[in-house]
Amino acid sequence: MNPAPDETINNGYQRPRDPVEIWLARQWQDVLGFAVGIRENFFGVGGNSLDAARVIDAVLVEFGVQLPLNVLTERPTVERLATLLRDHAERLSGPLVAIQDGDGNRPPLFLVHPDNGQVGPYCRLAHALGEEFAVFGIQAVGLYSDAEPHRTVPAMAAAYVDTVRAVRPTGPYLLGGCAIGAAIAYEMAARLDDVRLLAAIDAELLEPPDTVTESWSHTPPGPWDLPGILASWQERDLTPRDTEPEFVARSLCVWRANQDAVRDWRPSSYTGPLDVFGRPPAMARLAAVVQRTHECGADGHLADALRELLG
């Protein structure tokens, strides 16, 4: 018999906010057979004790942490379970983030981070596309570790191509991104053979813009601003409650590197088409590239348009 759900209720899909929550949400999807948000109760959506044991085994393999058998009774949501694992998540700090496994019948979609370096917003897109589609995010180097961020778009593209080839040595390749992610995906496409899709996505089609990060262009924050920025992100549910102020400092470093990189970017030659969703910036630099425009507002139209191209 399953434990009774606690006070946590399902208020609709709430996306993961960091690599640990993304990893846990993917495990739950594999175990339960469907996607869940970070505040949905494991037992309330149909999980049982055998399913819980599978999650515990997966945690041991990935993190080397042996959780007690009753852990999902006490922490029955992705959000609450993730708090036990963040101190052991070094392996999740690399560029490649598996968001959704898919059914194996079509190539995976690789989505490159925007200016803030995070891939969480792509989780909502993966959820809207459907469970049959495999989706990987590529997050910025240095966001969840002390590594130095890459400083140019070509350097990011070269590193991310190696990352993609490590899991998919040959095409066809499906690439996309928003903001600087579109520029990086473009440079990746120029370096890969058999690119079936190159998508430039308007970031506002994924979720509302982060006004705090946008303000950095006009008023760069100082060290004294970091706690207030973190509190603002947490209030708007953009970062977990146990995130440390150091994450804001790393985010600022990544954001600055990405701003400098896209400012200095000079596009390589690419002969394939570019599918443009909404009105992403920097497309004027690609005037010589064949662009196929897809006008799509919010409310799932982006996922519908992408799904047609993914097949």
Side-chain angles (χ1 to χ4, degrees):
M1 182 174 179
N2 295 340
D6 70 358
E7 70 279 3
T8 305
I9 60 173
N10 173 18
N11 292 318
Y13 178 77
Q14 292 160 309
R15 70 164 177 85
R17 299 161 297 179
D18 72 351
V20 176
E21 290 184 347
I22 292 173
W23 185 88
L24 277 173
R26 184 167 60 88
Q27 300 309 310
W28 287 28
Q29 183 174 10
D30 289 346
V31 167
L32 297 171
F34 51 86
V36 298
I38 61 171
R39 297 192 179 99
E40 293 184 74
N41 186 296
F42 184 81
F43 299 105
V45 297
N48 57 43
S49 57
L50 292 178
D51 295 330
R54 291 175 60 191
V55 173
I56 291 169
D57 288 345
V59 167
L60 179 61
V61 170
E62 179 68 25
F63 297 94
V65 176
Q66 180 64 70
L67 296 175
L69 292 176
N70 67 341
V71 68
L72 278 168
T73 305
E74 299 177 353
R75 298 173 182 267
T77 67
V78 165
E79 178 181 44
R80 293 175 62 184
L81 188 58
T83 62
L84 299 179
L85 302 177
R86 287 197 175 90
D87 289 341
H88 309 276
E90 295 84 1
R91 291 177 58 180
L92 301 182
S93 64
L96 196 65
V97 179
I99 295 175
Q100 188 165 272
D101 290 338
D103 59 12
N105 293 326
R106 49 182 62 78
L109 173 63
F110 295 91
L111 295 170
V112 186
H113 62 81
D115 296 4
N116 66 9
Q118 300 182 44
V119 298
Y122 295 135
C123 294
R124 186 173 284 112
L125 175 57
H127 182 259
L129 282 173
E131 299 163 5
E132 64 270 29
F133 293 95
V135 179
F136 287 90
I138 301 178
Q139 68 188 3
V141 172
L143 190 61
Y144 294 100
S145 72
D146 294 328
E148 278 293 311
H150 296 300
R151 299 291 175 179
T152 69
V153 171
M156 296 180 208
Y160 298 165
V161 162
D162 290 342
T163 296
V164 167
R165 282 180 171 151
V167 296
R168 188 171 180 83
T170 60
Y173 294 105
L174 310 175
L175 307 173
C178 58
I180 191 176
I184 301 168
Y186 173 90
E187 290 296 330
M188 292 172 66
R191 290 161 170 76
L192 287 166
D193 297 322
D194 195 12
V195 175
R196 181 179 296 177
L197 173 69
L198 173 59
I201 302 169
D202 189 333
E204 293 191 20
L205 295 177
L206 299 175
E207 59 186 31
D210 176 13
T211 55
V212 172
T213 305
E214 287 187 339
S215 70
W216 291 352
S217 299
H218 311 291
T219 310
W224 54 88
D225 295 315
L226 302 187
I229 293 171
L230 178 57
S232 174
W233 286 349
Q234 290 171 333
E235 183 179 352
R236 288 179 293 141
D237 210 18
L238 298 177
T239 57
R241 287 290 172 183
D242 58 342
T243 301
E244 299 290 337
E246 288 76 10
F247 175 73
V248 184
R250 291 197 298 269
S251 296
L252 178 58
C253 184
V254 164
W255 178 84
R256 283 172 172 159
N258 286 336
Q259 291 291 296
D260 292 343
V262 77
R263 182 194 62 222
D264 298 335
W265 173 51
R266 299 295 179 267
S268 301
S269 174
Y270 176 66
T271 58
L274 172 67
D275 286 278
V276 180
F277 298 86
R279 294 175 175 80
M283 290 303 100
R285 301 192 198 184
L286 303 176
V289 179
V290 175
Q291 298 187 21
R292 301 183 295 204
T293 302
H294 305 265
E295 293 294 338
C296 48
D299 303 323
H301 296 304
L302 170 61
D304 292 339
L306 260 179
R307 198 180 298 110
E308 290 183 10
L309 296 175
L310 295 174

